Structure formats: structure tokens, C-alpha cells
Amino acid sequence: MTWWVFRKEEAEKTIFSPNGKIRLDFNLKNNQVFYTVSKDGKSIIKKSKLEFEILGEDLFKNNLKLIRNRTSRHEETIETIWGEDKYLENNYTEAVFYLAESGKAKRIFTLRFRVFNSAVAFRYEIPPQPSFSTVTVKDERTEFNIDLNSICWQIPAYQPDRYEYNYERTGIYDLENSVHTPLTIKTPNGFYLSLHEAALYNYGSMTIKLNHDKVLSSDITPLSDGTKAHVNLPFNTPWRLIMIADSAIELTANRTMYCLNDPPSGDFTWVKTLKFIGIWWAMYVGEWTWAPGERHGATTAHAKEYIDAAVRLGISGLLIEGWNEGWEGDWLENGINNKFTVATPDFNLEEVASYAKAKNIELVGHHETVGFVDNYEAQLEDAYNYYAANGVHYIKTGYAGSQIIINGKKEYHHSQAGVNHYQKTVELAAKKKIMLDIHEPIKGTGIERTWPNLLTREGARGQEYEGGGLRPSHACYLPYTRLLAGGMDYTNGIFDITNNVKRISTTLARQVAYFVTIYSGMAMAADRPFIYEEKYPELFEFIKKVPTNFEKTIPLAGEIGDFYVVARKDRGSEDWYIGGVTHSESRRVHINLDFLDSGVYKAKMYIDGEDAHFRDNPYSINILEKHVGKSDSLDIYMAPGGGFAISLERSQSSGV
Ligand code: NOJ
């Protein structure tokens, strides 16, 4: 064991973002590499160490020197296949530092920095070496030396419920344990930052802790053998990403994570975003069960009824959970026996799939692994073939369970073993032209740019936690925290708010707002179809219409945990959508419509009633219509725990 400490030959280099505002300083001094970051002359990251520890006989020596460095500019407009924005600007200044040992072994490695107008990113690269081809990473200690008087919004790492915790606002100085990324931070000099990573492959996920020197530092999730990763060379770590904004709302528009990922790895023009209903919430409210029996949800008959309902509702997909063997008894305990190609006797996949096909409804298949990855991997190829053979193009996977079992060992979901398993499913699915919605996933690091068939993830507390488990502020934290890691399947659209089992902290209008405020490439209208059809058909019109693929997204206003208002333009039409949510206090927002294109729009507004309240009057709603244009503005009321949604349909006669 030794420290791979970058040594010898002092060197200093300064790099600026394309607009000249963000400055990165690279510094090789007294055998250590340091970096610092500032914006407009104000400090963001003070002098921070970069250290990397390799395990094994064949040691890196620590007399390293800078061989050469190279700086270049990159300007590119990325066109996405789907997402919140069709075009992303990928503009940065890159500086690459090639370092080597000056001793006999002469091993080499590279540090690559990219400085964007709204972020700094860097990674460690280990090129092929003459003397060895594999490396065990014992540790990576990347410091982010941020002012200790900063505050952050965090969820704890290494916990049984993975990423599914309430966000807490704490001082950085008070952090006692490791926390997950994206870690959102506000510095005393006014910056909003998010520490995260991009392109996480074949490596432990980065969590963040306060180290012994009281400096924020990476804490790479270990494997069960205590090391962080076993890799073959060449190897690049994920990008260490520092998103930088002047306001909380500006931070939500940061797309650097995607830009740091590679372009699609093949032809993904077959990938299509989807809206779906599900044989799902009926289980949560106790009407049906996952397990076979009298109240079994996933029967052939129910599936056909739901397919018919999807057709009537104008929704393209149907999720069916609990169709396979393995749900009997305590499914969380017994999940080791789940069979992914064997249906229960009352469910016939072939019959349901051909019924769905005839009605033009996409089925969303389901694989609940309960974290027993060995059991799943043994069936993986067959399970995906089974769905593919039946024309099922979408699968929701699940990894409920506090840890996953891989090669007989308990591992963290966010360890290298977990990361590699999730990746295996994404690549196999791509081969079969299947799109994925991963629950209990590895966090998003933008790999959906390379693998666009990974349409969405859960990876935070979703609405299924309701029934006391969530505060109205939760959905006001997500845009500034979890959603910086990409889209989320939050299971929106629960209209039966006051059900006896899972009482939800929401107003009715807020349930449609989520379809705008929480982006997901696969968006679930999660309540039972009869609720939509019989009780609130006019409200459901919004869900039917709202797109899952946007041309552009313009965050309008918000503060972390308090509220969030965003506008999005449809990718397939000239229409716009606006959504907003507030925490447990009411709020009025003034929305200037100057972002609209020219012309006249018919605005349909779904707004909390003046007497609405998430606690005792959730159903009070006003549905209004009016014509507006870009010179207009709207004043919108949000009730405690409420929200609003607006569709803006451009009139045919527009375009003048
Ligand atoms: C947890 C998932 O988040 C949820 O959506 C699913 O219904 C259950 N696991 C059962 O698979």
C-alpha cells in the first residue's frame, strides 16, 4: 500500500471558463497536486488536495513530475434524443496534465480538467502501463475545500433505504456522516453549488464527508472486501463535478452532467418516452395484492380492463406488477426465489401482450429483484428475451432491500458491484431494444446520454412513501437536489388523496403540477383509472396532454425547499406548460410570460382554490381558461402544500 502522491517539479497553471468568469488553478507543489476554483474573483473552492491510493505489490512511487500539459477549447451543441432540452451547449476549456514518476518504473497518469461557464469537472485517468494492467483502488481522496460556514441540503449515505430520505438542511461544519451526491451547497459569499459526479462506470459511487482536517472530501463507496474498485487499464474515474450558480433557480438548469457523458453508443432512434398507468396503486391502498389470491392485482382480466381504460384515457402504456412467481408471503424476505419468466396461474403474458398490441398499448414489464442480484443475473438473458418475444419494450426494475446480494456477498447498491450490475441491465436492454425505469437505482450521473434507453429512475423518496412519510417541502427540495441527477419516476397523479391507507400531503392541483415540475422520460399517472374517469375527467385532460419530451426548459422562480416554478416547451408542438409547487405555506407567484413565442395562446389553468389546504381541504381547485401572449403575466395562488399547472396551447392563427 502506498500513497500515489503527485510529486516533484513545481508547476502552476490557470484556466478560465469560455466566458472568463470561472477560474481554475492547478498547482503541483511539495509533491502534491492541488486545485482551487473561483468565480468573478470570489472564492468557491479553496486549495484542495487530489490523492489516489493504489493497493498491491507494484507500487506507484511518489516522486511524480509534470511531463507536459495541454489546453484546448471545445464548442459543441448537443442534440438530445429526449429530455428536458433538445439542445445543450457543451462549451468548455480543457486542461490536461500528464504526470509521471521520475524513478525507475516511470508509470504515468493523467489529470483532465474541464472548466465550463457554470461548472468545473475533472477526473483521474490511468493509461495502459508497461508493467501492469490491473489496479485495485484502495482510496480516492478528492477534496472540495468549501467554506465551512456554508449550508447544505443532504441525505445520508450507507443507509438501509438507499436514497429514500427526507432532505435535511445543515451546516457543512455539522456533517457527521457521509452524504450522497448531488450535494447542494450555499456558500456565505452567495454561490449555489452542487457536488456530484458524471459518467459513473465500473467504480464505487462518490459520497461526501467532512474529513479529519475538516475539509469536504470524497468518500468512495467500498466493496465488501473494503476496497473501492478493481479495474483494468486504461481506466478513467467518473468526472468529479462542481456545478456553480448565482441563484438556486439557476442551479436547476445545470446540464453539465449530461455534457460530460459520451454521445449515444449506437442507434437509439427507436427510444420513445412514455406515459403509463399501472396495476400498482391499487396494491398500495390495499384493494389488490401483489401476491396471488382472491385480491390478486395482476390477473389477465384486470390487465385487459386496464388496457381498455388506458385507451379511453388516451395514455400509451400500462405497468403490470405482481404478475410473476415470487410474491407469496413476505415478498421482501422471500424475493430470493423470484422467477422472471414464470407467470402466476391467473396471468397469461402472451394473451395480455397480444391484447395490448391490438389496442396499441405498450406494456411496461416488471422485475422486482428485492436486491437479490445473483438470482436476477442468473435469469437476466431469459427474462429480457421473454419480454422481448412478447413485444414488451419497457421494463420497470426494482431493488427493494437494504443491500444487494452479488456473488453471494452483501454489497451497497452504490458500490462498484452495484454500478456494474445496473450497467449490465442497461446494456442488455439496449441490445433487445428495451427501455428501462429503474427503482432503487444507482443515482443518475448522466449515462442516459450514452444509453438513452435508460428513460428514468426513482432514487429518492417518491409518492409511494406518503401516508405520513413525506412533507410538502419534499417536492420543493427535489428540483434543487435529486433532480440535478436527472429525471425521476415520482409516480405522480394521485387524485384519491384522502384514501384511508396512503393519505397524501398534497392538493389536487399539485398532483398535475408534478408532471411539469418533476421531469421523467417515463411518466406514471399512478392512480387507478376509475378515479380518473369517474371523478376528475377534466383534470385528467392535463395529464393526457402534457408531454414527456421537451424542446426546452426555463426555470422561472424558486428557493430550495420553499417553492419551484418551471416552464417547458413541448418538443412536438408550439405549446408550453408551466408547473409550480410550494411547501406547507401558501404563496402567490407572478409569472411573466415573455419567454413565450409570439402569437396567441389558450391558457388552461389548474389552480388551488383559495380555501384549499393539503391537510383538510385538498380537493378545492379552480380550472380556468383565458387567452394570453408574451406581453402578459399571470398571478397564481398556491395553497399550503399546493401547486398549479398550466397548458398554453398556441392558436392555429398564431405565428404573426
Ligand atoms: C419499490 C418500488 O419503488 C415500487 O414502485 C414497487 O411497487 C415496489 N418496490 C414493488 O416492486
Side-chain angles (χ1 to χ4, degrees):
M1 190 266 298
T2 191
W3 274 102
W4 176 11
V5 181
F6 312 143
R7 283 193 179 223
K8 205 150 178 205
E9 309 272 335
E10 306 205 338
E12 277 179 20
K13 178 87 189 155
T14 300
I15 310 120
F16 287 95
S17 57
N19 67 3
K21 285 169 159 281
I22 296 182
R23 168 181 172 151
L24 172 107
D25 286 281
F26 167 91
N27 207 311
L28 178 65
K29 204 170 170 59
N30 298 333
N31 313 325
Q32 291 258 238
V33 169
F34 300 91
Y35 75 101
T36 54
V37 178
S38 61
K39 182 176 176 188
D40 293 329
K42 292 194 279 179
S43 169
I44 291 180
I45 299 209
K46 292 176 282 180
K47 203 167 169 197
S48 300
K49 282 184 225 161
L50 300 177
E51 298 179 341
F52 208 89
E53 193 179 0
I54 302 288
L55 182 81
E57 299 291 310
D58 204 358
L59 306 177
F60 277 105
K61 292 187 186 146
N62 35 8
N63 49 350
L64 291 159
K65 62 178 181 182
L66 183 62
I67 308 267
R68 68 191 166 92
N69 67 289
R70 184 174 58 75
T71 308
S72 60
R73 282 291 274 275
H74 184 89
E75 274 191 25
E76 179 195 12
T77 300
I78 293 170
E79 185 173 339
T80 63
I81 295 178
W82 55 267
E84 295 175 86
D85 296 282
K86 185 166 183 186
Y87 299 107
L88 304 176
E89 294 307 322
N90 186 19
N91 303 336
Y92 55 83
T93 311
E94 180 173 271
V96 192
F97 298 92
Y98 301 93
L99 298 131
E101 291 173 307
S102 54
K104 223 171 56 208
K106 295 219 172 351
R107 282 163 299 176
I108 51 173
F109 68 95
T110 305
L111 265 172
R112 186 179 300 269
F113 290 88
R114 288 185 184 167
V115 186
F116 299 79
N117 289 338
S118 57
V120 167
F122 56 88
R123 71 180 182 194
Y124 307 82
E125 301 179 352
I126 313 178
Q129 313 277 326
S131 50
F132 60 96
S133 58
T134 61
V135 158
T136 292
V137 179
K138 180 131 193 297
D139 210 354
E140 172 199 324
R141 272 166 266 202
T142 296
E143 287 186 348
F144 304 95
N145 191 354
I146 290 169
D147 190 326
L148 283 182
N149 296 310
S150 303
I151 50 173
C152 67
W153 288 263
Q154 45 89 6
I155 51 169
Y158 307 118
Q159 298 301 312
D161 283 333
R162 308 154 302 266
Y163 302 107
E164 297 171 22
Y165 289 88
N166 286 328
Y167 282 88
E168 299 295 342
R169 179 184 187 276
T170 46
I172 282 190
Y173 194 80
D174 297 323
L175 283 182
E176 284 174 2
N177 298 307
S178 297
V179 295
H180 281 299
T181 78
L183 175 63
T184 300
I185 294 169
K186 185 177 180 200
T187 65
N189 57 358
F191 291 114
Y192 287 80
L193 314 175
S194 179
L195 301 184
H196 191 37
E197 58 187 320
L200 169 58
Y201 292 102
N202 194 22
Y203 200 70
S205 151
M206 180 176 75
T207 71
I208 304 280
K209 68 175 182 199
L210 208 52
N211 69 15
H212 295 307
D213 300 330
K214 288 276 180 203
V215 174
L216 280 189
S217 173
S218 63
D219 172 15
I220 307 300
T221 304
L223 289 160
S224 54
D225 67 7
T227 69
K228 308 294 175 147
H230 305 281
V231 301
N232 294 328
L233 303 189
F235 177 75
N236 303 333
T237 65
W239 290 96
R240 306 302 168 215
L241 169 60
I242 305 144
M243 302 180 220
I244 301 167
D246 295 326
S247 68
I249 194 72
E250 182 194 328
L251 189 63
T252 66
N254 198 303
R255 306 277 184 258
T256 317
M257 178 187 76
Y258 294 96
C259 296
L260 288 163
N261 277 269
D262 289 336
S265 62
D267 171 32
F268 283 91
T269 47
W270 48 273
V271 168
K272 299 275 177 290
T273 61
L274 184 78
K275 226 177 290 163
F276 61 105
I277 58 171
I279 294 189
W280 187 74
W281 192 244
M283 277 89 94
Y284 278 87
V285 294
E287 284 169 10
W288 289 349
T289 58
W290 278 276
E294 265 179 23
R295 289 185 295 118
H296 188 206
T299 65
T300 302
H302 287 156
K304 287 183 175 176
E305 280 163 29
Y306 266 48
I307 289 167
D308 291 341
V311 173
R312 289 195 302 275
L313 287 166
I315 294 293
S316 325
L318 171 67
L319 163 72
I320 305 172
E321 292 201 3
W323 65 275
N324 61 318
E325 270 191 17
W327 293 90
E328 298 82 357
D330 182 343
W331 62 265
L332 278 168
E333 286 296 319
N334 306 335
I336 193 159
N337 298 317
N338 284 3
K339 306 261 187 306
F340 301 105
T341 52
V342 185
T344 54
D346 52 357
F347 184 78
N348 184 326
L349 180 64
E350 292 75 9
E351 194 179 328
V352 171
S354 68
Y355 192 78
K357 192 167 180 216
K359 304 270 173 158
N360 213 10
I361 295 295
E362 294 281 356
L363 291 185
V364 180
H366 186 231
H367 291 159
E368 175 52 74
T369 70
V370 201
F372 293 105
V373 169
D374 285 339
N375 177 49
Y376 189 39
E377 288 210 357
Q379 303 175 57
L380 206 58
E381 189 84 31
D382 290 345
Y384 283 55
N385 283 341
Y386 184 50
Y387 272 140
N390 281 290
V392 177
H393 304 120
Y394 297 84
I395 300 178
K396 171 179 168 180
T397 56
Y399 298 82
S402 55
Q403 289 199 282
I404 51 181
I405 308 292
I406 301 187
N407 295 328
K409 296 190 191 111
K410 277 193 176 177
E411 305 283 0
Y412 288 110
H413 288 65
H414 46 291
S415 64
Q416 182 194 27
V419 168
N420 286 347
H421 165 71
Y422 290 109
Q423 188 58 24
K424 192 184 269 188
T425 66
V426 171
E427 293 187 21
L428 182 65
K431 232 163 77 186
K432 315 272 175 203
K433 291 199 167 33
I434 286 175
M435 292 154 273
L436 291 181
D437 169 2
I438 306 180
H439 278 229
E440 298 80 37
I442 180 68
K443 71 187 178 189
T445 57
I447 66 161
E448 52 272 37
R449 180 174 176 215
T450 315
W451 302 97
N453 63 312
L454 174 47
L455 279 175
T456 194
R457 304 176 166 83
E458 187 187 41
R461 282 199 165 177
Q463 268 205 135
E464 64 196 46
Y465 251 94
E466 294 276 12
L470 280 180
R471 306 182 285 237
S473 56
H474 184 63
C476 304
Y477 284 115
L478 292 176
Y480 309 93
T481 54
R482 158 67 182 82
L483 298 180
L484 295 174
M488 176 179 178
D489 181 11
Y490 191 65
T491 56
N492 313 319
I494 302 293
F495 288 180
D496 182 17
I497 296 163
T498 48
N499 72 78
N500 289 330
V501 185
K502 286 267 183 186
R503 177 73 159 80
I504 308 205
S505 303
T506 183
T507 62
L508 201 50
R510 181 186 177 98
Q511 285 297 313
V512 288
Y514 286 154
F515 285 88
V516 190
T517 62
I518 302 176
Y519 178 71
S520 186
M522 283 173 73
M524 187 175 193
D527 214 329
R528 295 141 295 164
F530 76 85
I531 295 284
Y532 295 139
E533 291 193 277
E534 290 165 19
K535 291 205 168 170
Y536 305 104
E538 195 181 359
L539 189 56
F540 193 79
E541 280 303 306
F542 184 86
I543 296 183
K544 178 177 166 185
K545 211 166 166 255
V546 66
T548 47
N549 194 12
F550 292 99
E551 179 77 17
K552 59 178 150 186
T553 289
I554 305 181
L556 296 177
E559 285 300 338
I560 303 173
D562 293 352
F563 74 113
Y564 175 62
V565 181
V566 63
R568 304 188 195 265
K569 186 181 184 187
D570 182 17
R571 211 177 272 208
S573 75
E574 294 304 312
D575 300 345
W576 282 84
Y577 295 80
I578 310 176
V581 286
T582 185
H583 61 15
S584 53
E585 283 165 32
S586 66
R587 178 180 309 275
R588 274 180 205 283
V589 283
H590 182 79
I591 301 171
N592 197 329
L593 296 176
D594 56 0
F595 58 84
L596 290 176
D597 305 301
S598 57
V600 178
Y601 292 80
K602 187 173 83 182
K604 187 146 188 183
M605 310 194 283
Y606 305 80
I607 296 171
D608 290 327
E610 291 284 333
D611 57 349
H613 196 295
F614 76 95
R615 218 171 278 128
D616 49 24
N617 194 18
Y619 296 108
S620 172
I621 189 168
N622 293 319
I623 302 180
L624 313 166
E625 271 186 31
K626 72 194 254 189
H627 286 90
V628 294
K630 65 189 282 119
S631 55
D632 292 319
S633 58
L634 298 169
D635 279 297
I636 307 286
Y637 173 71
M638 291 189 271
F644 70 93
I646 302 173
S647 62
L648 293 142
E649 188 183 320
R650 195 147 82 142
S651 307
Q652 295 299 337
S653 55
S654 290
V656 277

